[in-house]
Amino acid sequence: MPSLPFHRRARRGGAAVLLVLALTVLLGAQGSPVAAQSADAAAIDSSAAAAAATAAAAAPTGRVFWVATNGNDANPGTSAAPWKDLRQSMQKLRAGDTLFVKGGRYASPNSYVIRPNGLAAGTPDKRITVQAANDQVFLDEPLAIDNAQYWTFDGFNISGNGARYRDTTEPPGYLVQFVGGTGWILRNSKICCFGTYGMVQVWGQPKDWTISHNTIWSNPGRGAAADTDHLIYVHPNTGSGPGYIERNVLAGSSNGSNIKLGASSQTTANAGTSGITIRRNTFLGAWTNVRLAFETAGSLIEDNIMLGATRDWPDGPASVQPYCLDGRGNVTRTDLWYGPPTRRHTDPIRGTYCRYSGQWTDQGGHVKRDPRLPVSTSAVYNQRSLSSLDQSQFLPRDVPARSYGRFSQFDQALTGDWDGDGVDTPAGVLGNRVHLTNEASDAGSVEYVAPGSGESERIITFGKVGWRFVAGDWDGDGTDELGVFDPATATFHLRTQEGRIGSFSFGSRSRSYEPIAGDWNGDGKDEVGLLDTKTKVFAIRTSATTATSFQFGAVSAAYQVTTGDWDGDGKDEIGMWRVANRTFALRHCVTATCEQAPTGIVMGTQALAPYYQPIGGTWERGQRTDTIGVVLWTQWLRARQNANPTTFYPTRNYEG
């Protein structure tokens, strides 16, 4: 969880315990202080959803080009002299390039689809990005992408205007289609209002793909066979994966599912998907929210809000429904559902038609609770325009429900100096994927960060789901990197900038720990530590062969821990956040006895205290000491000083 910072070079580390509750909260204008005594649940309103929609412009690692509806393809592709044709512009890009798309309506001449041919390949370190320059970029024709290698498509508006696909060649039967590819991302887009068997479709054998932060709604169906029209349709791609569908709003599929994984029939070769994670989405209105069909295998469905499943077949509506499922390794857990009669997992067809049924494990932990969305189930059906719905309508008015769905927080919140500039910035963990940004602040009320502003985001997959993350400067080069702790083996795995992994055992397999990291001796390199959550004893690793230990905190109390250099001496210390009295206790050494007594700082309000994730960091260049802060849903807040009385200041909204 949280991790900490350092004024000189950065060293992070920390562990904040997984928080429940989620959603972006805009607690005031950018740079304006938020009094610890004044923040309460009433401050959370629909403005939070607007902040959640923020799309960060990636810092270009290569050339930068522009395209505009009033451009010319003979131009050099600059902002002042942009290209015109979107399809041809994408075909000109190379690894590391960024194409900014100016506002306007785009189509492909003499075609019914925007389908670029022969796309160049990006790499994990040199992605190719096609980025809407503002929220007024509209595609008047479907977007079809074949074999994209490390491409990002960010911020588009695509609407079928309520039309229905009639199985002809014009137009295609989708609004967005990806075939094959590796490492591609579709994010921050609004896609709506088209009757078809899949508004967003994924085909072939794509690897490591992501659909995130989109609003996809209103598939009125084709008027064809029952239960055959879906919002996202991932068709047979056995042998592919992983794939991630996360932090989306998916609403209104009147003749099918919000998401369907698998083929249209069991006779299809490779009639299932593999390795798809569906998490932290908000579902509303469909025959069933998620359908797993035939040979679909290795799916993980968790932490979603699932509402409005309406089809009463065979024995009641189902949030998640297996359909002749014989693929193995499918798991559901910890979702929020609501609606009569109950949340169900049932196989609608048994007998000779299905070879097997019900090949998945429900690990439980589900919550039945009304999230009190501002929008009704009936309102998400049969819409015809992009303006008919807004993400703010899917922000739960029930505060505890915000730990689920589109607006929920990260599993863990970290901070680190990811680019070596002396300033700590956010990182968030979902499963075993970490979303990192090098931007410490954002524009607040502006939906998009200004193109070329320098923000760079990365997604790093590391370790296994359930391992705990830390961050630190393991080699003293001034840049923080990630580490993970495997509790089953009491083993740390630390990652360097070059991708090398160093592993070592520390602690006991029989104990329950929270891992931390910090520069304990001021030598410029971070080391790890462990908090025994039962005894409140810290074990601090000072070298490969030495360690020290001390007890801090009441044994019977519950804490979350972070680390930082609280007094500016170049050495990191421990900070403990106690929800019961909304107090940070900052310890000023990592030895058995300290010359200075711990500093106690009361922060926030008791109503919100259970939802804070503690962090520490160096938030400004030249800052000599680390200061404490919290993550409240997806709003990152920091204290101006480590003293009473204290005030929260918004640092930025960040949700990956």
Side-chain angles (χ1 to χ4, degrees), residues 42 72 101 107 171 221 231 245 299 301 315 328 372 380 394 420 429 441-442 452 454 459 475 478 521 552 570 575 634:
N72 189 311
V101 184
L231 296 180
I245 303 174
S299 305
I301 302 171
D315 58 356
R328 298 182 180 274
R372 298 175 55 227
V380 302
F394 297 89
V429 179
S441 61
D442 60 13
I459 300 175
D475 53 12
N521 57 14
F552 184 44
T634 56

Side-chain angles (χ1 to χ4, degrees), residues 221-235:
R222 295 165 290 164
D227 201 13
T228 57
D229 301 307
H230 318 288
L231 296 180
I232 296 179
Y233 187 10
V234 185
H235 207 268

Side-chain angles (χ1 to χ4, degrees), residues 213-262:
H213 299 83
N214 304 286
T215 305
I216 305 171
W217 77 97
S218 192
N219 183 342
R222 295 165 290 164
D227 201 13
T228 57
D229 301 307
H230 318 288
L231 296 180
I232 296 179
Y233 187 10
V234 185
H235 207 268
N237 63 338
T238 300
S240 67
Y244 302 90
I245 303 174
E246 57 192 21
R247 290 197 184 276
N248 301 282
V249 168
L250 300 163
S253 190
S254 59
N255 187 45
S257 305
N258 297 133
I259 296 176
K260 179 183 177 181
L261 306 183

